[in-house]
Amino acid sequence: MDPNSIVYRAAIWLIPLVIAIVFHEVAHGLAARALGDPTAAERKRLSLNPIRHVDPIGTVVLPLILALTRMPVFGWAKPVPVNYARLRNPRRDMMLVALAGPGMNFALALAGAVLLGLLLAGAGEVRLGSVGAFVAQNLFNFVIVNIFLALFNLLPLPPFDGGHVVQGLLPPAAAERWASFGRFGFPLLFILLLIVPAIWPSANIVAQLIVPPADAVNKWFFAITEAIAG
């Protein structure tokens, strides 16, 4: 395996990202089902089959471009359907459903940190270009990607999970107006994350709001890896 090849560089980011995104979406659906809404299950979206969740742009094209240009890798999948009206306590439960996705990503990051520590403890030394090095790099990136996705999705803006939490905390009339911004979510996403930073670098939301806390959380998780690896 050539660590400098485009295929290698793409794989060590896309594999962790696809797994992280799929589990994120399934967590939303499982939480919704537990709280009274089986819509995701009825539409066969509680599956770990990536094909059922992949968005060609958000899951493949954009992350691939970001990985190859060495920018922070993020993306999205097709949202799992949630029927607000079928939840037992819609305002409260929608917040819990929203938080299930980032919660799953933090749990996956912890699992990745532990597995990486076990791999390094067992291998002693991972040879560059070996299968072990490929697995180790995937686990390392798996931790980074899951932490980044968790914090990214907690941004308090629609259509992010954090936006749904804000909606649940607002009075009903204000919550309805807030939710109406959701239809502008993806165009706004591209403007805020790609166009604005290109014109005004100091307004880069990812660099200013996500990267610093992500770096701090990464250190905590990799401290677990180091403790296990010895």
Side-chain angles (χ1 to χ4, degrees), residues 17 27 33-34 45 49 66 78 90 92 105 127 129 138 142 152 165 168-169 172-173 176 188 197-199 205 211 222:
L17 181 66
R33 185 175 66 177
R45 293 295 305 280
N49 179 357
L66 294 173
K78 290 186 294 187
R92 181 204 65 192
N105 289 129
R127 183 171 56 84
N138 269 277
F142 188 66
F152 184 72
V165 174
L169 295 173
E176 187 174 342
L188 183 62
I199 299 171
I205 289 180
V211 171
F222 286 127

Side-chain angles (χ1 to χ4, degrees), residues 60-147:
V60 180
V61 176
L62 178 61
L64 182 59
I65 292 172
L66 294 173
L68 295 179
T69 55
R70 302 184 185 277
M71 295 177 66
V73 176
F74 63 89
W76 60 85
K78 290 186 294 187
V80 163
V82 177
N83 188 333
Y84 185 85
R86 298 177 79 178
L87 295 168
R88 286 191 286 271
N89 185 331
R91 284 173 59 80
R92 181 204 65 192
D93 292 349
M94 196 64 206
M95 289 191 291
L96 296 175
V97 169
L99 290 171
M104 172 62 77
N105 289 129
F106 282 126
L108 290 173
L110 177 59
V114 170
L115 289 173
L116 180 58
L118 292 173
L119 173 64
L120 296 176
E125 182 178 347
V126 178
R127 183 171 56 84
L128 187 65
S130 67
V131 173
F134 179 75
V135 174
Q137 187 66 69
N138 269 277
L139 287 171
F140 183 85
N141 289 347
F142 188 66
V143 175
I144 292 173
V145 163
N146 273 286
I147 290 172

Side-chain angles (χ1 to χ4, degrees), residues 47-61:
S47 167
L48 296 180
N49 179 357
I51 302 233
R52 294 188 180 274
H53 303 281
V54 164
D55 177 284
I57 300 298
T59 316
V60 180
V61 176

